[in-house]
Structures are given as structure tokens and as C-alpha cells.
Amino acid sequence: IHDAVDTAVMRPFIQFYIDTVPQPIRQAVSNFFNNIDDMISAANDLLQGDLDRFGNDMGRVTLNTGFGLAGLIDLASMVGIERGNQDFGLTFGKWGFEQGPYLFVPLFGPTTVRDGTGWVARLFVGPVGFIPDVPLRNSLYGVGAVDLRAQYYEATKLVDTAAIDRYIFIRNAYLQRRRYLQYDGHPPPEPEDQQ
């Protein structure tokens, strides 16, 4: 289902979006949604008890929201403040919840039980979910999905050319990245690596 819909509908639509929307506008859209991600990251930093990262992410949000036209301009990156990357799936992991099995959810993509639960939590507590105007809220969800898919467009083309088995390639890449993030870039050796 996923490959058929992605190939027949999403890829042509994303290619059209990339070809017709000027890059500065696409970047402003990405910056806007990245600013929301920075808010989510800050909340997760706080839930994990990491006050240094919380201050860093809140500094990004404050600077970009206050002086970057509600996040359309990423001033924080321009002055060297790195983006955070914490989410509810990682927070649940810090609290001791196991990752659970890997899932590939059609039209959503790769996840695990823990990370998928984190996405559900994000939908309920993210700022877009509190917009009472349903058409506006759903439009923002739609634009955010298009923006996210457009950001990964080149990576998708790489997977198509580099992977012998797309499913295994995506699964391994996803799980390795999540493990890397869970251990703040310093994962312990996996059991098979210790032999």
C-alpha cells in the first residue's frame, strides 16, 4: 500500500511542490515547522531532566519566534545554536520503556511501538492540535506532512538506488538512528558487536 501510494501520488506531488514553490518559501515553511519541533524538543528535554538542552531549545524558540517572524527565519542556526532532536519516543525510552517491535505504518513510515506512541502524544500536546479552527488545523497538518516528505525526497531517491532490499535498508537505518539518539550519540556496543 505504502509504495503504491507513495509512487503514484506522493512522489509526483512532492516533485511538483519542489519544482513550483521557490526554495526560499520552502525553507521558510521548513523553518516554521522546525520551530514547532524545537518547542516539542524543549518539552522533552524538561521531561528528561536535561536543563542544559532545555535552555538551548527554548533559546532557539524564543529567538526564532520573537525575532525570526514566528519561526519563518531560523536566526538561531545563523548564530550557531544547534537544533535539538528530542521527542516523546526518546523520552519514553529515558523513562525505561522498551522500544518494542519495529513497524512500518502505511502512509506514515518506519517507527516502533514506543516511537509511534510518542507521535500520538505529540499530536495531542503539540501547538497545532490546540487550534480550534478545524480546517486551519488540518491544513497545517497537511502542509507539515508535505514539508516533511519534501525534506526526505532526496534520501528516498538514494534508498531506491542504493538498497538491494528497501525494507531492510530502511528498517536498519531507522533503528540505528533511533539508538544513536537514545544514547545521545554514544550508544553502547550491541551484543553481537561485543564478541
Side-chain angles (χ1 to χ4, degrees):
I1 293 173
H2 179 84
D3 282 342
V5 172
D6 191 58
T7 302
V9 179
M10 284 305 290
R11 286 188 193 194
F13 182 76
I14 296 303
Q15 186 63 57
F16 175 78
Y17 172 75
I18 291 170
D19 291 343
T20 57
V21 177
Q23 204 285 328
I25 293 174
R26 291 195 324 265
Q27 187 61 54
V29 170
S30 291
N31 290 343
F32 175 80
F33 287 104
N34 287 342
N35 196 44
I36 292 173
D37 288 343
D38 289 339
M39 286 186 240
I40 300 294
S41 185
N44 281 285
D45 295 334
L46 196 58
L47 290 170
Q48 294 174 23
D50 192 332
L51 298 181
D52 288 338
R53 277 199 306 221
F54 171 75
N56 189 54
D57 287 340
M58 280 309 296
R60 284 187 59 84
V61 170
T62 303
L63 182 61
N64 289 340
T65 303
F67 299 102
L69 301 175
L72 295 175
I73 301 170
D74 186 1
L75 295 174
S77 289
M78 292 178 191
V79 297
I81 304 173
E82 291 185 28
R83 290 197 65 227
N85 55 14
Q86 297 300 303
D87 58 44
F88 289 105
L90 296 173
T91 297
F92 293 155
K94 297 272 182 181
W95 290 348
F97 290 93
E98 291 297 319
Q99 182 168 271
Y102 171 81
L103 305 167
F104 194 95
V105 181
L107 307 178
F108 180 78
T111 190
T112 61
V113 172
R114 182 183 70 204
D115 294 340
T117 305
W119 270 99
V120 172
R122 179 200 165 107
L123 285 175
F124 282 105
V125 301
V128 174
F130 290 102
I131 296 174
D133 183 354
V134 174
L136 174 61
R137 181 181 64 223
N138 291 345
S139 296
L140 285 172
Y141 280 140
V143 171
V146 168
D147 172 64
L148 186 62
R149 183 63 178 84
Q151 289 181 42
Y152 294 118
Y153 187 73
E154 293 300 319
T156 302
K157 290 182 359 186
L158 171 70
V159 169
D160 289 343
T161 58
I164 294 171
D165 184 325
R166 289 190 64 206
Y167 177 83
I168 292 173
F169 185 90
I170 292 169
R171 181 194 65 201
N172 290 345
Y174 178 82
L175 293 174
Q176 286 174 6
R177 169 127 174 90
R178 294 303 291 180
R179 189 168 192 274
Y180 178 85
L181 292 173
Q182 187 68 58
Y183 291 101
D184 297 322
H186 305 289
E190 294 199 48
E192 64 268 10
D193 294 343
Q194 294 176 354
Q195 297 175 8

